[in-house]
Amino acid sequence: EYAQQDSRVKVFHKENGGVSSARNVGLDNARGEWIAFVDSDDWVDEEYLSSLYDAAISLGCSIVTCDFVEINKDGTKQCNSFDWAGNNNVEFNNLNRVEALKAIYCYSYGVIWNILVSRNLIDAISARFDSELKNGEDTLFLCKLYLGANKYYHLRKYLYFYDRTNEFSASNNKTIDYHLNRLNFACKIQSLFSNARLGIPLDFVYLSLIEYCYQLLVAPSFYPVMREALTLLPNGFLLRAPGVPFKRKVVLWLILNNHTFILRRLIMF
């Protein structure tokens, strides 16, 4: 209906293959110099695109993000700012590239729907969404963008409205498949950062990989997957990992070294 009214609107129909597949179709068919994403149950301020675009042009950025308003299940609204990192109240715009990547990964900045990004950047790094991932695909895509961006900026305006009232959405349902997916996601992030040769320890990635492995301890059938993931950790990191309970370290060390017989005996007792 909109396409019939305005020739600038393009509609593409495809078989349901997940959000990554759909977004990739959008990227493959987009013709504009700038790309933005809006999820189907969200909405934006009328100045959403113009504000992000003006900031990008005036500051010479290839990525511009904005704050958002979260609509909770009970209908209450919560304002969220991406302009800080962790508990240090550090402005996002003052972070270096590695600090920004950590903020994206650790502090729930890894969303793609409050962003305007240069098409040139996307094409330069051949960025597409990973269709293997059912969760975290936006964070992985975003990390690729920030690794290749010349400059990025966060606009302190609440321009995006994120609707969380749908209790059946993927982000609100956590199953074994969810934890398997998160482990796969952590492995892909670890590989991405390692290949980028950031030159620093990636403890925040390693710790999440350990956590996702532990969540799969419920069945021995997952042990091979966990072992493969744990081999990505630097030598000795598992046993010295800060903040990880000693019991958890021992259990995962047994899996890493294929001492599953001992582990089963421990579980029995």
Side-chain angles (χ1 to χ4, degrees):
E1 181 180 350
Y2 279 106
Q4 291 174 354
Q5 297 174 11
D6 191 328
S7 61
R8 296 173 299 177
V9 178
K10 308 296 181 184
V11 180
F12 302 93
H13 297 275
K14 66 178 296 296
E15 183 178 353
N16 186 5
V19 64
S20 292
S21 175
R23 286 170 173 164
N24 286 338
V25 168
L27 289 174
D28 292 339
N29 288 278
R31 294 296 177 264
E33 296 179 7
W34 296 88
I35 305 293
F37 303 87
V38 180
D39 282 0
S40 59
D41 46 0
D42 300 341
W43 66 96
V44 299
D45 186 274
E46 61 182 7
E47 296 182 354
Y48 171 63
L49 290 177
S50 61
S51 295
L52 294 177
Y53 176 78
D54 289 344
I57 296 301
S58 63
L59 297 170
C61 298
S62 53
I63 298 176
V64 179
T65 54
C66 66
D67 293 331
F68 69 97
V69 177
E70 185 173 348
I71 316 300
N72 297 314
K73 291 182 181 180
D74 58 3
T76 59
K77 297 181 179 180
Q78 176 181 343
C79 294
N80 289 275
S81 175
F82 282 17
D83 205 39
W84 57 273
N87 298 320
N88 297 323
N89 292 324
V90 177
E91 289 195 2
F92 187 81
N93 292 325
N94 293 334
L95 302 180
N96 61 38
R97 192 180 304 274
V98 173
E99 292 169 338
L101 289 169
K102 182 176 180 179
I104 291 168
Y105 186 81
C106 297
Y107 304 125
S108 300
Y109 288 3
V111 294
I112 202 66
W113 36 248
N114 70 328
I115 182 175
L116 185 70
V117 56
S118 166
R119 175 62 181 268
N120 288 336
L121 171 59
I122 294 176
D123 290 344
I125 62 175
S126 301
R128 286 298 184 270
F129 291 91
D130 192 325
S131 297
E132 288 186 0
L133 296 177
K134 305 303 179 185
N135 183 278
E137 77 293 332
D138 44 3
T139 302
L140 180 60
F141 181 84
L142 200 58
C143 286
K144 292 177 182 179
L145 294 182
Y146 274 84
L147 280 171
N150 66 320
K151 187 178 180 181
Y152 42 85
Y153 183 76
H154 179 82
L155 186 63
R156 299 186 65 181
K157 286 186 177 181
Y158 294 99
L159 300 172
Y160 194 96
F161 295 84
Y162 173 40
D163 188 351
R164 297 198 66 179
T165 58
N166 178 15
E167 63 179 356
F168 299 106
S169 68
S171 60
N172 287 327
N173 291 276
K174 297 181 180 181
T175 63
I176 288 299
D177 286 341
Y178 170 86
H179 293 297
L180 277 170
N181 180 89
R182 294 302 288 179
L183 179 57
N184 187 20
F185 160 70
C187 291
K188 288 176 181 287
I189 285 285
Q190 195 275 341
S191 177
L192 175 67
F193 288 176
S194 294
N195 291 335
R197 299 184 179 183
L198 297 174
I200 64 168
L202 303 173
D203 287 12
F204 61 96
V205 178
Y206 304 147
L207 290 173
S208 65
L209 191 149
I210 290 173
E211 174 62 25
Y212 297 143
C213 279
Y214 193 76
Q215 296 299 327
L216 294 172
L217 195 63
V218 292
S221 59
F222 298 132
Y223 290 176
V225 176
M226 296 165 63
R227 186 178 305 114
E228 182 177 357
L230 291 169
T231 58
L232 298 177
L233 298 174
N235 291 334
F237 181 84
L238 177 60
L239 295 182
R240 68 173 186 272
V244 179
F246 179 73
K247 178 180 178 181
R248 187 170 300 190
K249 292 179 180 180
V250 171
V251 169
L252 294 178
W253 184 87
L254 290 172
I255 292 175
L256 172 62
N257 291 277
N258 203 23
H259 298 316
T260 53
F261 174 77
I262 299 176
L263 179 59
R264 292 191 182 97
R265 297 289 295 179
L266 288 174
I267 293 175
M268 289 177 59
F269 291 101

